[in-house]
Amino acid sequence: MSQIANRDFKLDAGRLVIVSNRLPISINQVDDGEWEISPSSGGLVTALTPVLRDSGGIWLGWPGKLDSGNLDELLAKGSKGTGYSLRSVILTEEDINLYYFGFSNEVLWPLFHDLQSRCNFNPSYWQSYQQVNSKFAEAILHNSNHDDYIWVQDYHLMLVAKSLLAMGEERSMGFFSHIPFPSPDIFNKLPWRLQILKALLDYDMIGFQTMRDRNNFVHCAEMLIKGVQADTRRQISTVSLQGHETKVGVFPISIDFHDFSVAAAETTVKNRASELSNALPNCKIILGVDRLDYSKGIPEKLHAFEYALKRYESLHGRVTLIQIIVPSRVDIPEYVNLKSEIEGLVSRINGKYAQAGWIPVNYMFRNLDRAELLAYYRAAHIALVTPLKDGMNLVAKEYCAANTDREGILILSEFAGAAAQLHRNALMVNPYDTEGVANTIYHAYQMPEKERQLRMKRLRGSIARRDIYWWVNLFLRTSETMEISDLSKSGLN
Ligand code: ADQ
């Protein structure tokens, strides 16, 4: 499929309504007390914009600030020129504490990443989760028509279709899970497992990142709900309950490959990448870029790097790990503790191994602008992407897209969703295996140029073929296609 063909999907009828916890904007108060709105620029927004614009669509979500002046005026300003409108779902401080920080981030996030010991199954979180999902359903009701297609994003909003039905209303509704879906052994621990599963089956279509997640979901449904019938013989499975059929498919999310690749090739990025390399003479750069989160396996990665330095003395003065961390959820004590743990490890490694002119770990805790991030990607000889579990992991794909010199090496956790697509040409590791990761770092360090180039060429080809436009189109086309077998030609395997 060509880049252009990828971009021109149109809905058959109605508007596209995207529903997500957060609107794709940020609202900030400027010095004179005025509120300012700026659009978010992620790949998802870019890819959805053409379909939203063509269908006169709507994006619905929490605007992110509890008190931001004249909100409607601000939102109108924020969507000016985009061709679609922004509509807010107003949440209270209590909603944010219980539904967002509580149920979403202390129950669903750890459980769905197989870290059940980190869960706090507080019943008041569940109450709030139900109430907030109803608020979103009400907002859909007020802002959409019967022929609109409602596409709900992610684990914060699993009950929205059910809540809408409870209001006596029906819409065509799809749900995409950006995070993994756990196996029955783990999912069974959730006190509200039945309510969640049944609510998911009120959607007309559910998309998962990988086959692993789709199979886990279908197994959970079969095991826990009496009367469920699943047909998994086709690429898009169906799960039926009491006369309602839900399509369940695999739609691995991606990035705007072309855009990343072109931006990384710009002279300013190239020059900045050279500056970064020149600042570390005779050193190969190993790069880690992660959001601050325990699922990303950052301490485990540092342990493995330390082990590599202990085991392979020839790496001393020859490799530097640049670990960039984007601040996230810093209001949750667990994340503050994680930050301290990481900083302790960085200082221990540097204390032990640094020499005049060489610091083993360069650590940054901040957001980087896009050009700077691209320069780091370009300068890195090796990307070390080792989440303990991840829905997809876009950093792995961004690194390859930005690797315009086509010589970099991707070391990738087998527990990242991206592994399903990239495992043949990345160096695969188990992030819990300190020795294995250390050996792989050394192997990557020594890899001959020809092999590096061949692997990177294949990685880039695979990501370019299945970019974010491919993902949006495939999801929406599948949601409209009644004839499931048509999909066999879509490249979804
Ligand atoms: P995330 O857990 O946020 O997303 P990921 O896919 O890795 O994880 O995306 C992180 C994004 O943050 C990347 O686009 C990266 O460029 C950006 N980023 C990281 N560090 C940065 C920094 N210091 N400065 C600026 N930007 C930085 C969830 C799931 C993932 C899934 C995505 C999309 O957890 O598994 O891939 O959604 O579905």
Side-chain angles (χ1 to χ4, degrees):
M1 220 185 286
S2 78
Q3 290 285 340
I4 300 301
N6 267 346
R7 294 174 190 222
D8 57 5
F9 180 82
K10 285 200 173 44
L11 282 180
D12 279 351
R15 296 169 301 174
L16 176 62
V17 180
I18 299 292
V19 185
S20 61
N21 170 55
R22 281 292 304 267
L23 281 173
I25 48 155
S26 59
I27 296 179
N28 293 301
Q29 204 157 21
V30 281
D31 294 342
D32 57 6
E34 286 291 300
W35 291 96
E36 217 177 53
I37 187 163
S38 45
S40 310
S41 55
L44 182 61
V45 185
T46 316
L48 287 169
T49 296
V51 206
L52 279 166
R53 193 181 42 229
D54 290 345
S55 74
I58 295 171
W59 198 313
L60 216 150
W62 179 50
K65 277 279 183 276
L66 298 171
D67 170 25
S68 30
N70 190 342
L71 193 58
D72 290 340
E73 212 173 277
L74 268 177
L75 293 181
K77 212 165 143 193
S79 59
K80 204 168 168 204
T82 60
Y84 61 89
S85 37
L86 299 171
R87 299 284 156 77
S88 59
V89 180
I90 301 299
L91 303 183
T92 64
E93 200 163 351
E94 194 186 16
D95 290 338
I96 294 302
N97 285 335
L98 301 179
Y99 139 85
Y100 178 71
F101 287 116
F103 201 76
S104 300
N105 288 331
E106 283 185 31
V107 177
L108 294 174
W109 179 270
L111 190 77
F112 282 36
H113 286 86
D114 296 353
L115 299 162
Q116 67 267 33
S117 58
R118 291 181 184 263
C119 291
N120 177 1
F121 296 118
N122 182 336
S124 64
Y125 290 173
W126 169 242
Q127 292 306 327
S128 174
Y129 187 75
Q130 294 175 90
Q131 282 158 11
V132 172
N133 272 251
S134 287
K135 280 192 184 182
F136 274 83
E138 259 170 45
I140 292 169
L141 194 59
H142 293 130
N143 287 290
S144 67
N145 304 317
H146 279 281
D147 56 354
D148 293 338
Y149 185 73
I150 321 290
W151 188 3
V152 178
Q153 306 288 325
D154 230 358
Y155 62 105
H156 316 89
L157 302 172
M158 291 194 286
L159 312 182
V160 171
K162 176 193 168 347
S163 306
L164 202 64
L165 279 176
M167 293 168 189
E169 283 288 331
E170 249 185 276
R171 296 282 186 279
S172 285
M173 292 186 80
F175 174 83
F176 184 75
S177 173
H178 290 257
I179 66 170
F181 199 89
S183 66
D185 272 3
I186 289 170
F187 185 76
N188 271 345
K189 308 219 158 87
L190 183 66
W192 309 280
R193 57 198 183 185
L194 255 190
Q195 290 97 313
I196 296 235
L197 274 181
K198 283 186 175 166
L200 281 171
L201 290 176
D202 282 330
Y203 283 99
D204 299 301
M205 189 163 103
I206 307 174
F208 291 104
Q209 301 269 28
T210 66
M211 201 62 99
R212 161 198 78 184
D213 305 315
R214 187 208 71 168
N215 291 346
N216 283 343
F217 172 76
V218 173
H219 291 152
C220 287
E222 284 179 322
M223 279 176 67
L224 287 169
I225 309 175
K226 230 172 131 192
V228 139
Q229 286 194 320
D231 181 351
T232 53
R233 285 169 303 173
R234 299 208 174 99
Q235 280 171 327
I236 299 298
S237 313
T238 54
V239 180
S240 310
L241 180 65
Q242 291 162 352
H244 180 259
E245 189 179 85
T246 302
K247 293 185 209 174
V248 186
V250 178
F251 306 91
I253 200 167
S254 193
I255 57 166
D256 187 343
F257 177 89
H258 180 70
D259 185 52
F260 262 91
S261 187
V262 168
E266 279 175 13
T267 316
T268 45
V269 173
K270 184 172 182 250
N271 292 344
R272 179 67 183 136
S274 304
E275 247 174 63
L276 296 172
S277 304
N278 295 339
L280 300 163
N282 306 319
C283 253
K284 288 195 171 173
I285 295 176
I286 303 175
L287 181 67
V289 176
D290 303 277
R291 203 166 45 68
L292 180 69
D293 197 282
Y294 45 79
S295 67
K296 300 292 179 185
I298 306 167
E300 290 78 1
K301 177 182 345 191
L302 289 166
H303 282 298
F305 182 65
E306 184 179 31
Y307 194 84
L309 294 179
K310 183 175 163 206
R311 182 154 187 178
Y312 300 105
E313 237 179 87
S314 57
L315 294 179
H316 296 194
R318 295 279 175 232
V319 293
T320 292
L321 171 63
I322 300 184
Q323 178 61 55
I324 304 170
I325 300 185
V326 60
S328 167
R329 302 178 196 170
V330 281
D331 297 330
I332 302 178
E334 236 181 320
Y335 285 71
V336 178
N337 296 342
L338 175 65
K339 181 168 179 271
S340 306
E341 185 188 354
I342 292 167
E343 288 169 357
L345 281 167
V346 169
S347 106
R348 183 176 87 192
I349 299 170
N350 286 342
K352 205 155 148 193
Y353 291 103
Q355 303 161 5
W358 176 61
I359 297 172
V361 187
N362 274 243
Y363 162 75
M364 287 168 234
F365 184 71
R366 55 174 185 262
N367 265 298
L368 300 186
D369 68 33
R370 199 166 120 95
E372 188 72 355
L373 184 64
L374 286 171
Y376 277 99
Y377 282 148
R378 253 196 96 152
H381 297 85
I382 299 166
L384 194 49
V385 182
T386 52
L388 305 181
K389 186 134 186 196
D390 219 332
M392 178 55 56
N393 195 294
L394 296 180
V395 169
K397 294 187 174 182
E398 291 170 4
Y399 172 69
C400 298
N403 206 270
T404 46
D405 300 321
R406 298 173 172 80
E407 287 190 357
I409 302 165
L410 174 65
I411 299 181
L412 181 62
S413 161
E414 55 194 73
F415 307 124
Q421 184 183 351
L422 306 179
H423 68 99
R424 283 191 197 88
N425 294 295
L427 296 182
M428 301 308 297
V429 290
N430 170 357
Y432 294 98
D433 176 6
T434 309
E435 207 178 350
V437 176
N439 291 342
T440 307
I441 290 173
Y442 188 63
H443 175 49
Y445 170 75
Q446 289 191 309
M447 188 180 281
E449 190 181 344
K450 264 210 161 131
E451 185 179 347
R452 282 188 273 136
Q453 286 173 340
L454 184 65
R455 284 174 180 270
M456 186 44 75
K457 184 176 165 214
R458 289 178 174 159
L459 286 168
R460 285 171 60 84
S462 157
I463 301 164
R465 277 192 298 281
R466 295 178 178 190
D467 66 3
I468 186 73
Y469 297 97
W470 171 86
W471 177 80
V472 167
N473 295 353
L474 191 62
F475 189 97
L476 292 177
R477 189 150 33 94
T478 308
S479 70
E480 282 190 338
T481 314
M482 300 317 290
E483 190 42 73
I484 287 166
S485 58
D486 282 351
L487 287 162
S488 56
K489 301 186 193 89
S490 68
L492 185 75
N493 51 38

